[in-house]
Amino acid sequence: MKNNKFSLLAVLMATLFSTTSIALQQNQLADFALDELKASANLVGLSAVSYNQKGEKWSRYVGYADKSAKLTLSVKTEFRYASVSKFVTTGLLAKLVSEGKVDLDESIYTYIPDFPKKQYDFTIRQLVTHTAGIPHYQALHDFNIDYSSTPYTSVQQGVSLFENRSLLHKPGSEYHYSSFAFNLLSLIIENAGKKPFLEQLTDMTSMLDTDSIKAEHFDAPNNNWSKLYNSNGDSLNRNNIGYKWAGGGLIGTAADLAKFGVSLLNDDTISTQTLQQFNIPQTFDNGDEIKVSRSFMGVGWRIKENRFGQQHFHHSGSITGARSHVSVFPKSNESMVLLTNTPWVVALDETAASLQILINAQPEKKCQLTQAHFGNKTSRVNLSFTEKDGMCIADIKLGKKLTNTLAGNTDKTKFSLMMTTDDKVALITPIGIFQGTMNDNKLSLEILAKLHEFIIKDPTS
């Protein structure tokens, strides 16, 4: 009996160490990718967090929250969410739809009858799919925005900046992205939920245990706030963004945003039926699907499925001193968040999807080749393989046109390529991480929604 107990203990310990080893290997891929990404893009600070239904799955914080004070990023660091605020506000809207308090196809005047009448009526669905014709930041001097002194204290103050402007077009006929549309949505949320917008936000974030998510009040700074930087790494003064809480004025941690995102998959938060409704590609009045960059427009957020079968709904943001992104992957019940305190020209949705692949993959440990050369009709690719920290990593040189695209604002002429045991690869560049596959005779890379395929020419073992 005693021997049996020791045998059982040995099996349990072996299983524990095996599981831990696998987790470390998976984290090693994503850790390396994020470190390389931050360095290649010259960012001051970059954080990434993934959550699943059990809690945090992976996180990485690299660089500084305050460069001059040498204060590094941490789980407590709060970033500007920029237009990812729209993702959070859409979550609030979905909750009200689930509760039967909002009908997406009702006129906005059902909920805000005092809003000045326009040349056309329009629905909440048109409002949140950016087809209502509400202006964005066109002719900002007309809006009399106070960026530096008086704190904004109500949603109505933000709505008053544009409420007397005409619509840009007939609702349902064109797509014009508008943060002010979400100002108007927050007023609808207030009236439908019978409580101030920020109170409803607090109710939801408290319910989901994501309390760091809140409006940024520039007159009440928090010690956890990250500093803001420009692309040269110089510190910036904080401006007043209280006029657009719902569309670009929220702040919080990366972990809370990731947790908020994955919580939207819970039926207790939003009904399955409502979530499905929000993740159907939306259409113009003529029936054409609304396409936004490399995604389709859902209700409030964007939806996408790539060549690797990853379906996700997502939103990105850009604002003074920040870039932001959140993706939620319903099939795997996972989220991925990227937040930085530096401006960045980057393919954020591709990067999030690539990191989601890496945290669920095993690294290729041994390099089978030292060099390989691939090509197609227009370009040639050269790879040099190195075993680094238990992973096979390749330096990859691409054709001039593709290199110029991927180098962004840097002068880089080669990039890193990571390999997994299931023939997937991740290309790390200054403008993001891109997915692909590589086998004995072909390299395929999906870059900015275009598939690039190369056939092997002369491998060197």
Side-chain angles (χ1 to χ4, degrees):
M1 184 69 178
K2 190 174 181 179
N3 288 337
N4 288 340
K5 285 184 178 179
F6 281 117
S7 297
L8 179 59
L9 178 61
V11 170
L12 290 173
M13 292 296 289
T15 302
L16 174 63
F17 285 120
S18 175
T19 303
T20 302
S21 176
I22 290 172
L24 287 171
Q25 290 170 9
Q26 290 173 334
N27 289 348
Q28 191 178 20
L29 277 169
D31 287 353
F32 178 90
L34 200 77
D35 291 355
E36 186 80 3
L37 180 64
K38 186 261 181 190
S40 66
N42 297 320
L43 304 175
V44 176
L46 175 62
S47 66
V49 179
S50 176
Y51 259 69
N52 59 22
Q53 300 289 1
K54 296 179 180 179
E56 184 181 290
K57 182 169 183 174
W58 168 76
S59 64
R60 187 75 167 171
Y61 301 89
V62 288
Y64 294 107
D66 185 338
K67 187 170 66 171
S68 63
K70 301 298 182 185
L71 179 65
T72 56
L73 297 179
S74 74
V75 67
K76 293 182 179 180
T77 303
E78 297 179 5
F79 296 83
R80 284 184 162 181
Y81 284 175
S83 282
V84 168
S85 302
K86 296 179 178 71
F87 180 94
V88 176
T89 302
T90 299
L92 268 176
L93 173 64
K95 185 173 181 292
L96 291 174
V97 171
S98 291
E99 295 168 352
K101 296 177 180 177
V102 171
D103 183 338
L104 294 175
D105 295 312
E106 276 285 344
S107 164
I108 63 150
Y109 293 102
T110 301
Y111 303 93
I112 46 173
D114 295 333
F115 185 69
K117 294 295 187 288
K118 305 301 175 187
Q119 61 268 46
Y120 302 101
D121 193 4
F122 54 96
T123 67
I124 296 173
R125 187 185 300 274
Q126 290 169 331
L127 187 68
V128 298
T129 56
H130 304 283
T131 61
I134 297 293
H136 187 40
Y137 299 137
Q138 295 91 345
L140 272 177
H141 60 278
D142 291 342
F143 293 134
N144 196 29
I145 294 174
D146 185 347
Y147 288 109
S148 59
S149 57
T150 308
Y152 288 86
T153 58
S154 73
V155 163
Q156 180 58 52
Q157 285 177 283
V159 171
S160 67
L161 297 171
F162 63 91
E163 63 181 0
N164 293 317
R165 292 182 67 90
S166 299
L167 299 180
L168 298 176
H169 54 75
K170 182 181 179 181
S173 64
E174 299 179 36
Y175 174 92
H176 277 95
Y177 184 83
S178 173
S179 285
F180 286 146
F182 275 70
N183 282 24
L184 194 56
L185 175 62
S186 62
L187 188 59
I188 291 169
I189 288 172
E190 280 199 346
N191 289 352
K194 302 187 185 310
K195 190 182 283 190
F197 171 74
L198 292 184
E199 286 188 27
Q200 291 189 59
L201 175 64
T202 298
D203 289 346
M204 188 168 183
T205 57
S206 295
M207 178 183 75
L208 302 178
D209 191 24
T210 56
D211 294 322
S212 76
I213 301 175
K214 56 188 174 296
E216 179 181 316
H217 296 284
F218 85 114
D219 58 319
N222 183 318
N223 290 334
N224 291 322
W225 285 3
S226 171
K227 296 287 188 182
L228 311 177
Y229 296 92
N230 64 20
S231 57
N232 294 321
D234 301 319
S235 182
L236 301 170
N237 292 326
R238 203 167 207 97
N239 57 329
N240 183 1
I241 58 174
Y243 65 92
K244 55 175 181 178
W245 291 327
L250 301 184
I251 193 168
T253 67
D256 276 356
L257 182 56
K259 187 174 184 179
F260 183 96
V262 81
S263 295
L264 299 181
L265 301 176
N266 296 335
D267 195 59
D268 291 342
T269 308
I270 297 171
S271 72
T272 301
Q273 181 180 3
T274 299
L275 188 62
Q276 289 172 347
Q277 182 184 5
F278 275 54
N279 284 325
I280 294 172
Q282 301 298 293
T283 60
F284 294 109
D285 284 352
N286 65 6
D288 291 345
E289 291 180 331
I290 305 167
K291 295 182 180 178
V292 187
S293 185
R294 298 174 294 278
S295 299
F296 292 96
M297 192 70 217
V299 176
W301 48 54
R302 297 162 188 180
I303 53 179
K304 185 175 184 178
E305 181 172 3
N306 63 21
R307 286 183 173 89
F308 305 96
Q310 286 175 293
Q311 296 176 341
H312 56 120
F313 57 96
H314 64 91
H315 212 295
S316 298
S318 178
I319 197 172
T320 301
R323 284 303 316 265
S324 55
H325 181 84
V326 57
S327 280
V328 178
F329 303 86
K331 282 187 176 179
S332 59
N333 289 311
E334 292 175 354
S335 64
M336 181 66 71
V337 163
L338 288 156
L339 298 176
T340 180
N341 52 18
T342 316
W344 187 16
V345 178
V346 59
L348 285 166
D349 59 323
E350 286 95 334
T351 299
S354 298
L355 286 169
Q356 200 259 349
I357 287 286
L358 291 178
I359 64 173
N360 290 293
Q362 296 295 319
E364 186 67 67
K365 297 180 180 180
K366 296 290 184 181
C367 297
Q368 305 302 317
L369 304 171
T370 56
Q371 294 184 354
H373 307 284
F374 294 80
N376 57 26
K377 291 181 180 180
T378 61
S379 187
R380 187 174 175 86
V381 178
N382 298 315
L383 287 89
S384 299
F385 298 90
T386 306
E387 290 176 16
K388 186 182 300 183
D389 298 327
M391 299 178 291
C392 183
I393 308 292
D395 285 336
I396 180 170
K397 296 193 74 171
L398 299 158
K400 183 176 180 181
K401 185 177 180 180
L402 200 51
T403 296
N404 289 340
T405 298
L406 295 173
N409 297 323
T410 74
D411 58 359
K412 289 190 174 294
T413 58
K414 64 180 180 179
F415 314 107
S416 294
L417 192 74
M418 304 182 68
M419 282 141 284
T420 70
T421 54
D422 55 355
D423 294 332
K424 290 187 175 72
V425 297
L427 175 66
I428 307 167
T429 80
I431 69 162
I433 306 174
F434 301 94
Q435 297 181 56
T437 58
M438 185 171 67
N439 54 33
D440 291 340
N441 56 22
K442 187 165 74 172
L443 171 66
S444 299
L445 297 170
E446 184 178 14
I447 299 172
L448 302 176
K450 183 177 180 181
L451 186 64
H452 299 264
E453 294 186 308
F454 307 93
I455 304 302
I456 195 163
K457 298 297 183 182
D458 49 346
T460 306
S461 59

